Amino acid sequence: MKSHNQEWTALQKVHKFLLCSQDQEVARKVGEAVRTLGLLAQELPTAEALAGRLAELRPRVVFLDFIPDSNDAGKLVRSAELAQQLARIDARLPRVAVGRLSRPESAVAALRAGVSDFADIDTDVASGGSLSKMVQGLMHVSGQKAASGKGLRSVLLLG
């Protein structure tokens, strides 16, 4: 018979991911894509609460909702500010923007904010396998950064 302590200890060893979004459809798609890798928590923490939530959850990857919303003109700006704050709190923590390549302002805002990668909700996330491979690669690279104590640089070329 398992005790609650044993279950809690086992749960702490599971990879955790954080999705900063209020959109349930985005959460469903991202959750399905990473379900074999770990647990996804969905919330939109305030700027003041972000560091505390990261310390509590200790996510391996943070997903940021960069899907433009015609009812919320400031959404991309808030997502960009959140990505920049995440970088200040922990530069080694991978930040993945979830957006639509069919809406280029989504990708441009995300890349300017300094995200680690960009996942298209309609292709990468919908297929699941693409996002899962991306997340595995990011976790591997962030593990290398942590082990070496050095940051790695990347350059994005758009043609």
Side-chain angles (χ1 to χ4, degrees), residues 33-120:
V34 299
R35 75 174 176 265
T36 60
L37 302 175
L39 299 173
L40 179 70
Q42 177 196 8
E43 61 184 80
L44 194 54
T46 63
E48 298 79 27
L50 183 60
R53 288 303 292 148
L54 291 176
E56 288 174 25
L57 290 173
R58 293 191 322 250
R60 294 292 309 268
V61 176
V62 176
F63 298 95
L64 298 149
D65 184 349
F66 273 87
I67 298 173
D69 184 348
S70 58
N71 297 322
D72 185 1
K75 180 179 179 184
L76 294 181
V77 172
R78 285 191 308 277
S79 294
E81 289 170 351
L82 193 57
Q84 292 166 344
Q85 185 175 8
L86 283 165
R88 285 190 299 272
I89 293 169
D90 185 355
R92 295 174 303 191
L93 180 63
R95 298 166 311 283
V96 175
V98 177
R100 286 200 161 89
L101 286 176
S102 61
R103 300 281 306 269
E105 67 271 24
S106 156
V108 170
L111 295 172
R112 285 182 178 160
V115 297
S116 307
D117 218 322
F118 184 89
D120 186 346

Side-chain angles (χ1 to χ4, degrees), residues 80-159:
E81 289 170 351
L82 193 57
Q84 292 166 344
Q85 185 175 8
L86 283 165
R88 285 190 299 272
I89 293 169
D90 185 355
R92 295 174 303 191
L93 180 63
R95 298 166 311 283
V96 175
V98 177
R100 286 200 161 89
L101 286 176
S102 61
R103 300 281 306 269
E105 67 271 24
S106 156
V108 170
L111 295 172
R112 285 182 178 160
V115 297
S116 307
D117 218 322
F118 184 89
D120 186 346
I121 191 84
D122 298 320
T123 57
D124 299 325
V125 178
S127 68
S130 296
L131 183 63
S132 179
K133 288 177 186 169
M134 177 192 303
V135 169
Q136 288 174 333
L138 288 169
M139 289 188 329
H140 177 72
V141 168
S142 69
Q144 286 179 336
K145 285 183 195 178
S148 70
K150 297 178 182 176
L152 302 176
R153 290 192 76 172
S154 63
V155 175
L156 172 68
L157 299 174
L158 297 173

